[in-house]
Amino acid sequence: MTDSLLTLNAGSSSIKVALFDAAEGGGSLPVARWSGQADGLGTGLKPRLRVHDASGGMLHDAALEGDQASHQGALAALLEWHARQHDASRIAAVGHRIVHGGGSFMEPVRADESVLAELAALEPLAPLHQPHNLAGVRAAMQAFNGVPQVLCFDTAFHATQPDVNRRFALPRALHDAGVRRYGFHGLSYESIVAQFAEHAPQLAQQRVIVAHLGNGASMCAMAQGRSVATTMSFSPLDGLTMGTRCGRLDAAVVLYLMRSRGMSADEVEKLLFRESGLLGLSGVSSDMRELEASTVPAAADAITHFAEQVLQHMGSLAAALRGVDAIVFTGGIGENAAALRERILEECDWLGVNVDTAANAEGATRLTTPESPVSAWVIKTDEEAVIARHTARTLRPGS
């Protein structure tokens, strides 16, 4: 009987599960034996559960209906599918993505009740993610009694940022109390660092801007593979326009909504996290694919708004790096929306980007011409592989 690692990654509209060999914990990212994803959760779309083998072959494809259409129901369906496979391997540990680690968790840790309680206190800062993350941990603790649960944090990657980029212009006592820029999508960015080093080792150590564009979206400026600045800050609400999240917002808008419009804190939270972004702008959908297919003028306006925000933040991050050598797209939109990538890259000609339209349309890894001073790439993120690597390392004696 061989040992395996299971990874759980519960996002704002999806849950991903993958199975890895426990022995794979070296420098390169491990490859999953199978991976499953339940997507469309809580979006109004028809959610489905799909499981693929290591080569991409379909192992399972089914609609999620009734109770299964929720995060908890989808997770139960994934675990039920795994149980039916009669896999001869033993689950040695389960690794989890945790969106917010606050100021205490800068590296992976094993879960216990005190850790879970500390992380639950951060739920108001990431209401679309943290409750689902922690529910996944507890579900796995129940499903795999006594098996170590390793928590991996999206915020940890950004701990390398200089202090000037982590502070708000607020009294220092508030910063010391934890009101600071944390940054998110760190497991995705760590995945890109590892993969980009295989595609272009020298370039990966230079000044790189990674755009993680999806239902949740952020961008990160990196130097030598380390985070220097990022668009998300205190919570996953800040920065870019997202599927249902507003992104960058004047804080006085919140005061206005509460004082002049009589909205409660819960109502404001629902508005900013669940009813804004692409959905609020378009009135059509939070899904970029549906917006691109729509003939409603507001859908086109929402796409324009999204692209403009990416471009403005691109300039800000280039300034933080004092220049840029490469741009990498990842995430569901970044990996698949070729027309949007081309639109953004063509507007980045002032940075020195010469887009190769044919390569972009074909979905090639490199999106720019050979002579382009700044190269652009698309790389599929693999957060699960990063979680598996961290989990394997955490289980080693002496870790």
Side-chain angles (χ1 to χ4, degrees):
M1 180 178 290
T2 59
D3 284 350
S4 298
L5 303 176
L6 192 71
T7 64
L8 286 181
N9 180 350
S12 57
S13 61
S14 66
I15 293 179
K16 301 176 184 177
V17 176
L19 191 73
F20 295 82
D21 291 330
E24 297 187 47
S28 60
L29 293 180
V31 177
R33 298 219 306 267
W34 59 257
S35 57
Q37 177 168 342
D39 54 18
L41 305 175
T43 64
L45 303 175
K46 296 180 180 179
R48 296 193 70 83
L49 169 60
R50 298 178 177 89
V51 183
H52 297 86
D53 61 23
S55 62
M58 185 71 74
L59 298 175
H60 181 70
D61 184 6
L64 295 173
E65 300 176 340
D67 293 341
Q68 290 184 332
S70 67
H71 280 75
Q72 279 293 88
L75 177 58
L78 275 163
L79 295 179
E80 181 182 349
W81 178 87
H82 171 71
R84 292 199 304 267
Q85 303 315 300
H86 305 293
D87 194 327
S89 63
R90 181 180 71 92
I91 302 298
V94 183
H96 300 264
R97 174 197 180 203
I98 306 296
V99 164
H100 212 312
S104 301
F105 300 101
M106 302 300 180
E107 57 186 23
V109 299
R110 295 194 187 195
D112 59 31
E113 288 302 323
S114 63
V115 168
L116 294 178
E118 190 169 349
L119 294 173
L122 298 172
E123 288 185 2
L125 305 186
L128 297 184
H129 302 83
Q130 199 87 343
H132 301 309
N133 296 161
L134 300 183
V137 177
R138 293 200 175 277
M141 292 172 74
Q142 183 176 2
F144 304 101
N145 186 34
V147 170
Q149 309 289 322
V150 178
L151 312 183
C152 306
F153 302 96
D154 260 338
T155 45
F157 181 77
H158 302 290
T160 59
Q161 289 187 9
D163 184 69
V164 68
N165 289 342
R166 293 176 65 80
R167 287 185 178 271
F168 293 112
L170 294 171
R172 298 181 73 87
L174 286 173
H175 175 86
D176 295 341
V179 183
R180 62 186 68 173
R181 301 179 188 274
Y182 291 101
F184 299 88
H185 288 140
L187 296 172
S188 175
Y189 292 130
E190 190 174 344
S191 164
I192 299 305
V193 168
Q195 294 183 73
F196 197 32
E198 296 179 358
H199 289 290
Q202 292 183 331
L203 189 57
Q205 290 299 305
Q206 298 180 42
R207 300 167 299 181
V208 181
I209 296 175
V210 180
H212 177 111
L213 308 181
N215 190 57
S218 71
M219 298 168 67
C220 182
M222 303 177 190
Q224 297 183 324
R226 295 179 169 225
S227 177
V228 172
T230 189
T231 56
M232 285 181 172
S233 59
F234 182 61
S235 79
L237 184 66
D238 199 11
L240 298 176
T241 303
M242 297 173 241
T244 63
R245 284 169 266 171
C246 64
R248 181 172 56 184
L249 183 74
D250 184 339
V253 172
V254 175
L255 300 178
Y256 164 77
L257 293 174
M258 298 180 76
R259 289 175 174 170
S260 299
R261 301 294 293 265
M263 296 179 70
S264 67
D266 287 344
E267 290 171 332
V268 171
E269 178 183 272
K270 181 181 178 182
L271 171 69
L272 301 185
F273 277 93
R274 302 177 186 276
E275 299 175 343
S276 298
L278 294 173
L279 176 63
L281 287 166
S282 68
V284 174
S285 175
S286 62
D287 191 286
M288 183 62 70
R289 293 165 296 186
E290 293 194 4
L291 296 179
E292 289 181 330
S294 176
T295 59
V296 177
D301 292 342
I303 295 172
T304 297
H305 189 281
F306 182 86
E308 181 62 23
Q309 288 297 300
V310 172
L311 288 165
Q312 290 190 20
H313 283 287
M314 191 82 74
S316 173
L317 295 176
L321 290 170
R322 309 301 191 263
V324 59
D325 300 298
I327 298 167
V328 180
F329 291 91
T330 193
I333 295 174
E335 295 163 18
N336 299 299
L340 182 63
R341 282 199 311 263
E342 181 178 343
R343 178 176 183 172
I344 292 168
L345 290 173
E346 286 183 342
E347 293 289 344
C348 286
D349 57 350
W350 66 278
L351 281 173
V353 175
N354 297 326
V355 62
D356 183 333
T357 56
N360 178 65
E362 294 167 2
T365 302
R366 179 166 176 147
L367 309 174
T368 45
T369 62
E371 64 274 9
S372 180
V374 174
S375 61
W377 308 70
V378 58
I379 299 175
K380 181 177 176 61
T381 191
D382 194 346
E383 295 164 313
E384 287 68 42
V386 173
I387 296 169
R389 184 171 67 178
H390 281 311
T391 301
R393 290 175 176 175
T394 302
L395 294 178
R396 290 176 184 169
S399 297

